[in-house]
Amino acid sequence: MAMGPIQILVVGFGDTSQMKGAALDALDKLREQDIVRVIDLLVVHKNDDGSIDKVELTDAGELAELGALAGALIGYGAAGDEGAEAGAEVGAEAMLEQGSAFDDEEVWYIADAIPEGSVAAIAILEHRWAIPLRNAIMDAGGVALADRWLHPQDLLAAGAEIGMAIDD
């Protein structure tokens, strides 16, 4: 099975009511249409008293598959076909043993970064839509020379910098 690019997306919300509804519905639709695959999703709520609640939505099959694919790629890079086979086994077993893509250190890092009374969600997403495009490029002899996400906020920031330079 081919693997698409993996993204770790961290989003914050003022409170739990903001996180429900449209955002989760949109993610669910993308998943149902096989545009993205949700490998792991962790929600961290920092209560008003500073205590932490967490909910993780992990699919063991998705984790094992990600571990196998990542392990196979690392193994192939290290030792060719034999390395790929061994890497796939080790990767799948490691992810199943861990049971999550997130550890306690990441939970505390996120909890420290958000204010009391707010929520953060961390999603590990595989961009399935990119697989056919990448394969077509490779089949045509092309190689990726650069890969970067450009967000609308980046353009706003660039515009603000230009505006400041014009004002000076």
Side-chain angles (χ1 to χ4, degrees):
M1 175 179 201
M3 185 166 109
I6 304 292
Q7 177 186 21
I8 299 173
L9 178 64
V10 182
V11 295
F13 298 92
D15 62 50
T16 55
S17 66
Q18 291 178 309
M19 196 182 90
K20 297 176 185 170
L24 288 177
D25 289 346
L27 182 60
D28 207 33
K29 285 179 186 172
L30 292 171
R31 187 189 53 74
E32 287 172 1
Q33 296 170 3
D34 200 35
I35 295 170
V36 298
R37 180 167 61 144
V38 179
I39 296 167
D40 209 347
L41 177 65
L42 173 69
V43 178
V44 177
H45 178 229
K46 190 172 193 178
N47 298 303
D48 291 332
D49 65 2
S51 63
I52 303 299
D53 294 321
K54 72 173 186 167
V55 175
E56 188 168 359
L57 305 173
T58 302
D59 181 313
E62 298 285 359
L63 280 177
E65 189 174 325
L66 172 66
L69 288 169
L73 290 171
I74 293 167
Y76 184 82
D81 289 337
E82 289 179 20
E85 189 173 321
E89 290 176 24
V90 169
E93 288 173 17
M95 286 301 257
L96 284 173
E97 185 177 306
Q98 185 174 330
S100 169
F102 305 108
D103 60 22
D104 286 340
E105 185 176 310
E106 286 152 326
V107 172
W108 289 110
Y109 174 79
I110 294 299
D112 287 345
I114 61 174
E116 292 175 353
S118 62
V119 178
I122 312 167
I124 299 179
L125 306 172
E126 176 190 10
H127 290 272
R128 308 276 308 148
W129 60 267
I131 295 171
L133 175 61
R134 182 203 54 222
N135 291 347
I137 291 168
M138 289 173 49
D139 289 347
V143 295
L145 300 177
D147 182 0
R148 182 162 187 247
W149 292 85
L150 182 63
H151 297 275
Q153 297 89 332
D154 299 329
L155 298 173
L156 289 170
E161 280 187 38
I162 292 169
M164 283 188 244
I166 291 171
D167 291 340
D168 289 340

